Amino acid sequence: MSTMLPGSWQAVLGEELAKPYFQELTEFVEEERGRHQVFPPAEEVFAALEATPYDRVKVLILGQDPYHGPGQAHGMCFSVRPGVTVPPSLRNVFKELGDEYGYPMPDNGYLMPWARQGVLLLNAVLTVRQGEANSHKGKGWEKFTDAVIKAVSARAEPAVFVLWGNYAKKKLPLIDTERHAVVQGAHPSPLSAKLFRGSRPFTQIDTALKAQGHDPVDWRIPDLADGAK
């Protein structure tokens, strides 16, 4: 596993990598990669932090753990690379966006356009064994990603934290809710889609961003036919 943090995050998270739990986590993930197929690839474990620098985070969306199917996970929650079938949870996200803003369903699930606008797509657990959801839960990733959440919360610049589902909502105590906005709701998975649909989370996020003095996010995902990269 690559333990090189992107530069903008090094100052606020670098000391985490020297702590015993992270050393044990690194050994665990390396052993797992030696015995099993593990996603995402080692060079993409910190892809969300790479795509969205610390000082540019204006929205943090928290997922649980990476997709566990071949070719799906690339280090950003809910996102899949161009050419990969859009997973059910992300399809429900796009359907809600269609209801709120009238955007058509894109032909891909590559969320890099969000990340480049300051949307940190963070999973609580950053690796997973193929075909086994939550297989790397409780091994130390949560301590690291809790530190990410607390680092964003500690900034003077306000942000919007998006907590979908009961798992994500448990992270609320890590957030300074007097300085930051929090959007909570049901998870977009098929199991809770009926509760997610109609909750208008993107309108809530954009309203909060405007109140903080930020530009709203352009949530549209370009079709591959339009030259998405």
Side-chain angles (χ1 to χ4, degrees), residues 216-228:
V217 175
D218 182 351
W219 298 104
R220 290 172 293 185
I221 298 298
D223 280 343
L224 292 177
D226 296 335

Side-chain angles (χ1 to χ4, degrees), residues 94-116:
F94 288 154
K95 288 177 182 176
E96 178 63 22
L97 271 171
D99 290 346
E100 288 187 59
Y101 290 134
Y103 298 154
M105 179 73 66
D107 64 4
N108 70 98
Y110 190 47
L111 303 184
M112 185 62 79
W114 296 2
R116 288 176 177 150

Side-chain angles (χ1 to χ4, degrees), residues 25 66 81 108 179 190:
L25 171 62
R81 286 200 174 279
N108 70 98
R179 293 192 300 113

Side-chain angles (χ1 to χ4, degrees), residues 7 13 28 40 68 85 90 94 96 99 131 149 184 200 223:
L13 295 175
F28 166 76
H68 53 81
T85 300
L90 185 53
F94 288 154
E96 178 63 22
D99 290 346
I149 295 168
Q184 301 186 66
R200 302 186 67 79
D223 280 343

